[in-house]
Amino acid sequence: MKKSVLLFSFSVLVICTVMAQDFNLSGQKVLRSKYVGPDGLTFYDKPVIQGNITLDHKSGFFVDLWISSGLNTNWSTDWDDEMDYTLGWSGKIKPIQISTSISYFDDINIWQFSYNDVIKSEVRIDLPKKINKWLEVIYFVDYANYFIPDKKTPFNGGNIYSLGIDNEIIISEKIKITPSVQFSYDDGAFEVKPGCFIKMSSNLNLTLTKHFVWNIVEATFYGPLGEREMKNQLILGTGLSWTL
């Protein structure tokens, strides 16, 4: 009996160890100056706290929960509050990296599906290039479709097509900068005028420990191109990222 208990305990320990090796848990929490959507449309023009928790498996599959909340006591009464649920897969087919996902954007009123909600499907292809020991460049193409499940919702879905370059510049062992430039065409998602825009962003990151990174400052700029009737947008933020 004693041997059976010991064998069972050892088996449980091995299974838990294997599962811990197979899965990775990570997350982020950021204070941003306002909430701007993927096409440069302002959803909420006051500060918000936004963050996510991601569980990914070594097979490439992952699940993600993303939350946005305004700095007020009201919950789900405006576009500052949102919960997004994502299932996706990411993997390498050398020399490229492919990621695909489907998300459900739970907007006001949260947990009262499906009015005001959005379903997003996305495919992204990356081509990473290691230039030297302190610089890596990633060329990417991205396609995102936004589908509105409830026809009573007062806006339509649409598509965004993007080309861009991500960079990682290693300043020191603990400090790096991650500038990015993206050029996109929006065919009219969320009732905006179809047209092109440019998105530029950069993060200054400081590695605190093996598990924690401080995003000292992040800046994102959206600029409409041509006759697209939208304003320039600048979003600033700071936050913490972690991984287990």
Side-chain angles (χ1 to χ4, degrees):
M1 179 68 177
K2 192 173 183 178
K3 288 184 179 180
S4 299
V5 172
L6 288 173
L7 181 60
F8 175 76
S9 300
F10 179 74
S11 300
V12 170
L13 180 61
V14 169
I15 292 172
C16 290
T17 301
V18 170
M19 287 188 66
Q21 292 174 344
D22 290 348
F23 288 91
N24 180 65
L25 188 66
S26 60
Q28 184 184 58
K29 196 167 188 178
V30 181
L31 172 65
R32 294 189 169 100
S33 57
K34 53 185 168 181
Y35 181 13
V36 175
D39 58 355
L41 178 66
T42 300
F43 290 166
Y44 190 75
D45 62 358
K46 297 178 182 179
V48 290
I49 295 176
Q50 298 178 330
N52 72 295
I53 298 176
T54 304
L55 178 67
D56 59 75
H57 186 261
K58 68 177 184 179
S59 64
F61 287 99
F62 64 89
V63 292
D64 180 86
L65 173 64
W66 184 89
I67 299 176
S68 176
S69 179
L71 304 183
N72 53 55
T73 57
N74 299 321
W75 174 246
S76 191
T77 59
D78 206 337
W79 291 95
D80 55 331
D81 299 323
E82 179 178 333
M83 297 185 71
D84 298 347
Y85 323 99
T86 299
L87 172 64
W89 176 86
S90 179
K92 291 182 179 180
I93 304 176
K94 290 186 176 181
I96 64 173
Q97 174 96 17
I98 299 176
S99 59
T100 181
S101 63
I102 186 165
S103 305
Y104 190 96
F105 294 178
D106 193 356
D107 298 313
I108 55 172
N109 295 305
I110 295 176
W111 302 321
Q112 295 184 16
F113 311 97
S114 59
Y115 183 72
N116 279 339
D117 294 348
V118 179
I119 296 175
K120 174 190 176 184
S121 55
E122 183 174 18
V123 177
R124 171 168 163 150
I125 300 175
D126 292 344
L127 178 62
K129 293 287 185 181
K130 187 76 173 178
I131 306 302
N132 51 46
K133 65 179 182 180
W134 57 269
L135 175 62
E136 182 178 15
V137 176
I138 301 174
Y139 305 95
F140 69 86
V141 294
D142 184 276
Y143 166 70
N145 170 262
Y146 298 88
F147 172 74
I148 310 304
D150 191 334
K151 294 184 178 180
K152 295 180 181 179
T153 298
F155 54 85
N156 295 322
N159 303 276
I160 298 180
Y161 310 84
S162 303
L163 295 170
I165 303 175
D166 289 342
N167 301 274
E168 182 178 86
I169 303 172
I170 299 174
I171 305 299
S172 68
E173 184 179 348
K174 292 189 174 183
I175 299 176
K176 66 180 179 181
I177 303 174
T178 58
S180 175
V181 178
Q182 175 181 315
F183 175 81
S184 300
Y185 172 75
D186 177 3
D187 69 4
F190 310 118
E191 296 300 306
V192 302
K193 184 177 180 179
C196 298
F197 64 93
I198 188 169
K199 175 185 175 184
M200 297 183 289
S201 63
S202 186
N203 289 5
L204 174 61
N205 297 331
L206 172 64
T207 300
L208 301 175
T209 70
K210 183 173 70 171
H211 299 291
F212 291 94
V213 174
W214 177 22
N215 308 315
I216 300 174
V217 62
E218 66 169 38
T220 303
F221 172 79
Y222 290 87
L225 301 175
E227 298 180 354
R228 195 170 194 231
E229 298 173 350
M230 296 187 70
K231 297 179 180 179
N232 292 335
Q233 299 285 356
L234 176 63
I235 307 97
L236 301 176
T238 184
L240 193 68
S241 299
W242 54 270
T243 183
L244 298 179

